[in-house]
Amino acid sequence: MAEYYLYLKYLHYLFFISWMAVLFYQPRLYVYHVENMDKPDFVKVVEVMEYKMYHYIGWVALIGSFVTGILILIAMPDLIKTGHIHVKILVVILMAIYHLDLGRYMKQLKEKRCNKSGIFFRAYNEVPTIAMLIIIWVMIVNPF
């Protein structure tokens, strides 16, 4: 069981890192998008990047993170009794909501209905950083 658990954990980390990369970079693409609306050729390239990152990397990484996380809980059911795992699950749910919200903004940008500024997306880009810091803190320090 321990070897199986370690492989699941390995895959979970790979998916989590990939997902975090998307959550870090997607809002940066939105900054480029809103700050270059007067350059239609540039915006088209950014829209392709936004779409591919969100759908082909982001969703795969999100689903992989969830599936491997659930399999880890199945392999190690006592984890659910620990306080830190509840904090981690809560933050991961909030990250999934953030992910969906990025999709909403991508659609608004594509349809030219987004009224958010580059400054907004720069600030919004800090949300996954805070989430990541909380998750790493509770998983390493195990304060609960």
Side-chain angles (χ1 to χ4, degrees), residues 17-144:
I17 290 166
S18 299
W19 188 26
M20 291 306 303
V22 171
L23 297 182
F24 289 147
Y25 197 61
Q26 194 78 17
R28 173 55 53 184
L29 290 174
Y30 298 166
V31 170
Y32 300 148
H33 194 136
V34 299
E35 292 183 352
N36 292 282
M37 293 295 255
D38 58 334
K39 301 173 187 157
D41 290 340
F42 181 82
V43 168
K44 285 179 187 176
V45 171
V46 171
E47 286 176 347
V48 169
M49 293 170 67
E50 291 167 357
Y51 183 87
K52 287 182 176 182
M53 180 173 298
Y54 184 79
H55 290 287
Y56 301 149
I57 301 171
W59 275 108
V60 170
L62 179 150
I63 292 167
S65 294
F66 271 71
V67 168
T68 55
I70 291 166
L71 290 173
I72 287 169
L73 289 175
I74 291 169
M76 305 290 284
D78 287 344
L79 279 175
I80 203 69
K81 297 176 187 174
T82 63
H84 74 280
I85 205 73
H86 294 119
V87 173
K88 180 182 177 185
I89 290 170
L90 173 64
V91 174
V92 167
I93 290 168
L94 294 173
M95 285 172 45
I97 292 167
Y98 178 84
H99 181 102
L100 293 171
D101 203 38
L102 289 175
R104 180 177 66 89
Y105 282 125
M106 182 176 57
K107 184 177 180 183
Q108 287 179 0
L109 287 164
K110 176 86 171 150
E111 297 170 353
K112 297 178 181 16
R113 294 184 301 110
C114 185
N115 61 358
K116 301 296 185 191
S117 69
I119 293 170
F120 169 82
F121 285 117
R122 281 183 180 88
Y124 200 52
N125 196 27
E126 299 309 318
V127 171
T129 302
I130 294 165
M132 180 193 65
L133 292 172
I134 293 169
I135 287 174
I136 292 172
W137 176 68
V138 297
M139 296 312 295
I140 294 174
V141 176
N142 197 352
F144 308 105

